[in-house]
Amino acid sequence: MSKAILNAVAAVLPKAEHRHCARHIFAHWHKTWKGDEMKLLFWKIAKAYNLADYNDALEELTQLNVDAATAFKGYKPEVFCRAFLDTTMKTDAITSNIAETFNGYIIQARTKHLIFMLEDIRNNLMQRLVVKRQQMEKSTSILCPRIQQKLEKEKAKASNCDVIPSTDTLFNVNYYLDQLVVDLEARTCSCRKWDMLGIPCCHAIACIFFQNKEAEEYVDKCYWRQEYLNAYSGSIPPIDGERYWPRIELKEIIFFY
């Protein structure tokens, strides 16, 4: 609906990947194709990290309702399904939740006059930078706490993997009925979850453990505690209230027409 924005972003940020919000697409698609089963299949397809899982899930939807599957493909899956997204940026986000969250964060400020709105946002962000930095300084792990939690979940699933080495860095991994290839040097896995997120999947962790190494060392640097602290190292300076602003007397100005 906003072609001008798309053109502007493409001109100013030519290397930026353009993704559509899957939640908004689902809301539109679900108006016609209702039901919990349809909902589950939509998100199963959208969240599939690789083409094999994507095609299997899409086939399930096709068997359930051919027209629903055709309508799904009409929304350009390549811009909102994980299986098609670029893995350069280490994120699997397919919704605009981060923007909506900030929108909710400033909801009260938005009701005010422009100057007071900006002042509220400045105060909130000034405090937020300090609070986030202080919280992370209390952490003792190499990774950010939430990333560590995600890694621990993958570690728990790694026990179900059977590792077959090809070289010191290249492996076949059997996971239930799946057989995947893991490359520790390239930091890739056939499932593409590690590629996209930057956090080792259970298949990769099984190979890392096979080599008697620590999984934390293979997490992308953007998730390290020190990088987080670097991001929050800056600050927004405080400013005086309006009473303390310098007063300037304006001389009479004559306009000639």
Side-chain angles (χ1 to χ4, degrees):
M1 294 176 65
S2 303
K3 299 296 183 183
I5 295 177
L6 293 180
N7 295 334
V9 171
V12 178
L13 303 169
K15 295 183 179 180
E17 182 184 22
H18 178 218
R19 300 183 183 184
H20 289 180
C21 177
R23 184 172 59 83
H24 287 89
I25 292 173
F26 169 75
H28 195 272
W29 179 84
H30 200 52
K31 288 178 182 177
T32 305
W33 314 106
K34 302 180 184 295
D36 290 341
E37 193 171 7
M38 287 289 186
K39 176 182 178 180
L40 291 173
L41 281 173
F42 178 95
W43 289 109
K44 185 176 182 180
I45 299 169
K47 292 182 177 180
Y49 285 96
N50 55 75
L51 283 176
D53 290 340
Y54 169 86
N55 289 328
D56 287 348
L58 186 60
E59 181 60 29
E60 284 186 55
L61 180 60
T62 303
Q63 291 178 3
L64 182 65
N65 191 309
V66 175
D67 292 334
T70 302
F72 180 93
K73 288 185 283 188
Y75 286 100
K76 297 178 65 177
E78 61 271 15
V79 293
F80 73 92
C81 290
R82 287 174 179 168
F84 300 99
L85 300 181
D86 185 19
T87 60
T88 304
M89 299 300 295
K90 301 305 176 185
T91 176
D92 61 356
I94 53 174
T95 66
S96 58
N97 284 355
I98 188 169
E100 300 296 346
T101 299
F102 183 74
N103 225 5
Y105 183 71
I106 64 172
I107 192 69
Q108 295 300 324
R110 288 171 57 192
T111 63
K112 300 181 179 181
H113 182 274
L114 179 61
I115 297 296
F116 300 106
M117 179 192 76
L118 293 174
E119 179 63 8
D120 271 12
I121 294 174
R122 185 193 66 82
N123 277 328
N124 289 336
L125 292 180
M126 182 174 68
Q127 183 178 0
R128 182 180 175 85
L129 288 173
V130 176
V131 171
K132 289 293 184 181
R133 184 173 64 251
Q134 289 176 344
Q135 287 176 346
M136 188 56 66
E137 285 172 347
K138 296 176 183 177
S139 175
T140 56
S141 64
I142 189 175
L143 302 177
C144 297
R146 290 186 182 180
I147 303 304
Q148 187 68 53
Q149 291 174 7
K150 290 185 177 183
L151 189 65
E152 294 302 326
K153 290 181 181 178
E154 296 296 330
K155 285 181 181 180
K157 294 188 288 185
S159 58
N160 297 315
C161 297
D162 183 24
V163 178
I164 306 170
S166 173
T167 67
D168 289 341
T169 58
L170 200 59
F171 304 85
N172 252 149
V173 177
N174 294 323
Y175 182 69
Y176 294 107
L177 298 178
D178 260 355
Q179 179 172 298
L180 307 98
V181 174
V182 173
D183 188 336
L184 294 184
E185 186 175 4
R187 301 196 173 194
T188 61
C189 176
S190 299
C191 74
R192 288 184 81 246
K193 189 174 183 180
W194 188 14
D195 310 38
M196 182 168 288
L197 264 182
I199 303 171
C201 57
C202 60
H203 321 113
I205 291 175
C207 300
I208 294 168
F209 286 168
F210 185 86
Q211 293 292 82
N212 296 314
K213 295 182 178 179
E214 296 295 329
E216 284 76 5
E217 298 174 7
Y218 287 85
V219 176
D220 194 270
K221 287 282 183 70
C222 68
Y223 297 120
W224 284 30
R225 172 181 175 272
Q226 188 55 51
E227 291 301 314
Y228 186 98
L229 290 173
N230 290 342
Y232 281 90
S233 61
S235 64
I236 298 175
I239 62 174
D240 289 324
E242 189 174 349
R243 285 183 58 240
Y244 299 94
W245 292 358
R247 294 180 179 273
I248 299 175
E249 294 184 7
L250 292 177
K251 296 181 180 179
E252 185 177 355
I253 300 176
I254 301 175
F255 292 94
F256 296 94
Y257 294 94

